[in-house]
Amino acid sequence: MLITIIGNNKNELDILKKNIISWSIKSDADVETKAYTSGEEYFSKNSSNHDKSAAFFLDAQMDGMSGIDVARRLRAEKFKGFIVFVSAFEEYAIKGYDVRALKYLLKPIDESLLTACLDGIISELKTNSYMFKARFETVIVPYSNIIAFSSNSSHSIDILTDSERYSQYSSLNKILSSLPKEFVRVHRGHIINMAHIRKITSSAITLSNKMTVQVGRNYLSDFEKAFSDYSLRFEM
């Protein structure tokens, strides 16, 4: 899990990084931190795909782009993760509502409040995201972003989103057992997210990335029931 920290004060950045790493060791969480001394520096080095970070810790007051400015740009560029503001002044807390900030921490940051904040982030990620080990890192992908899980010729599973293709050594049976109800197996080689279905014919499904998946005969009955339940989920 990557946590990005942005603030003008290098000493404060170093302390926050140290405290996050200390928390990760105590919590047995796989965490990497990256720090930037301004919003301008961050955006110059990261022009897109901000969702590589699970969370941003932003100093509300900075020279140049403020933390609020950075958060607004992140949301405008489709960042869906967690934003935490850090400031010496409570007045900035209200502005955080505009960018759906998770938390507001006052300086100097109380270690117990930081721990509670990080625990909350991990809890939310486990509930709303698919997490798996890939080589030397833990990858976190929001369930809503996943279009399909597909087996490939390399004896691994491709995890497909609109913008990324991840690879995991596992089996579809094992993966399916940990997924929420919007995921259904439709073929021996495919699990799909029903939220990404765009068209259904008698034998195939077209997904939001224009991928077409055949419905296997052995999976048709279970798919029809699952899709019926999914389609009626908001009806009284």
Side-chain angles (χ1 to χ4, degrees), residues 97-109:
Y97 289 107
D98 294 340
V99 290
R100 305 188 304 281
L102 170 72
K103 196 78 174 175
Y104 181 87
L105 299 174
L106 279 175
K107 300 178 186 178
I109 299 174

Side-chain angles (χ1 to χ4, degrees), residues 3 9 11-12 27 30 35-36 43 58 76 86 92-93 100 102-103 120 122 158 171-172 187 192 200 217 226:
I3 294 178
N9 189 309
N11 184 54
E12 290 178 351
S27 304
D30 186 2
Y36 301 86
F43 287 112
L58 306 174
V86 178
Y92 286 93
R100 305 188 304 281
L102 170 72
K103 196 78 174 175
I122 285 291
D158 287 334
S171 69
L172 288 178
H187 187 275
I192 66 166
I200 301 176
R217 187 188 316 170

Side-chain angles (χ1 to χ4, degrees), residues 8 59-63 65-67 86-89 91-92 107:
N8 283 159
D59 196 328
Q61 285 186 302
M62 293 188 286
D63 297 332
M65 294 182 75
S66 70
V86 178
S87 177
F89 303 98
E91 65 192 71
Y92 286 93
K107 300 178 186 178

Side-chain angles (χ1 to χ4, degrees), residues 56-183:
F56 282 81
F57 281 71
L58 306 174
D59 196 328
Q61 285 186 302
M62 293 188 286
D63 297 332
M65 294 182 75
S66 70
I68 302 295
D69 294 333
V70 173
R72 285 175 177 156
R73 178 166 170 181
L74 288 171
R75 292 303 191 206
E77 295 181 2
K78 309 303 182 184
F79 174 66
K80 299 173 184 173
F82 302 100
I83 292 175
V84 179
F85 285 114
V86 178
S87 177
F89 303 98
E90 291 185 357
E91 65 192 71
Y92 286 93
I94 295 175
K95 296 182 180 180
Y97 289 107
D98 294 340
V99 290
R100 305 188 304 281
L102 170 72
K103 196 78 174 175
Y104 181 87
L105 299 174
L106 279 175
K107 300 178 186 178
I109 299 174
D110 183 285
E111 191 170 341
S112 64
L113 294 179
L114 176 63
T115 293
C117 177
L118 293 167
D119 286 345
I121 288 172
I122 285 291
S123 178
E124 284 286 322
L125 288 173
K126 287 180 177 178
T127 301
N128 299 311
S129 301
Y130 184 68
M131 305 173 68
F132 66 97
K133 288 278 189 181
R135 294 185 179 180
F136 305 108
E137 63 179 353
T138 298
V139 179
I140 302 169
V141 187
Y143 286 126
S144 60
N145 290 357
I146 298 174
I147 298 171
F149 295 84
S150 298
S151 59
N152 60 45
S153 58
S154 301
H155 306 291
S156 64
I157 304 300
D158 287 334
I159 302 165
L160 308 175
T161 74
D162 278 332
S163 58
E164 299 284 347
R165 179 188 294 263
Y166 303 94
S167 184
Q168 177 189 10
Y169 283 98
S170 187
S171 69
L172 288 178
N173 282 337
K174 183 175 181 180
I175 288 172
L176 184 61
S177 68
S178 67
L179 296 176
K181 290 187 291 185
E182 61 263 32
F183 289 89

Side-chain angles (χ1 to χ4, degrees), residues 44-61:
S44 71
K45 296 177 179 179
N46 302 272
S47 59
S48 63
N49 200 12
H50 308 301
D51 282 323
K52 287 181 179 178
S53 294
F56 282 81
F57 281 71
L58 306 174
D59 196 328
Q61 285 186 302

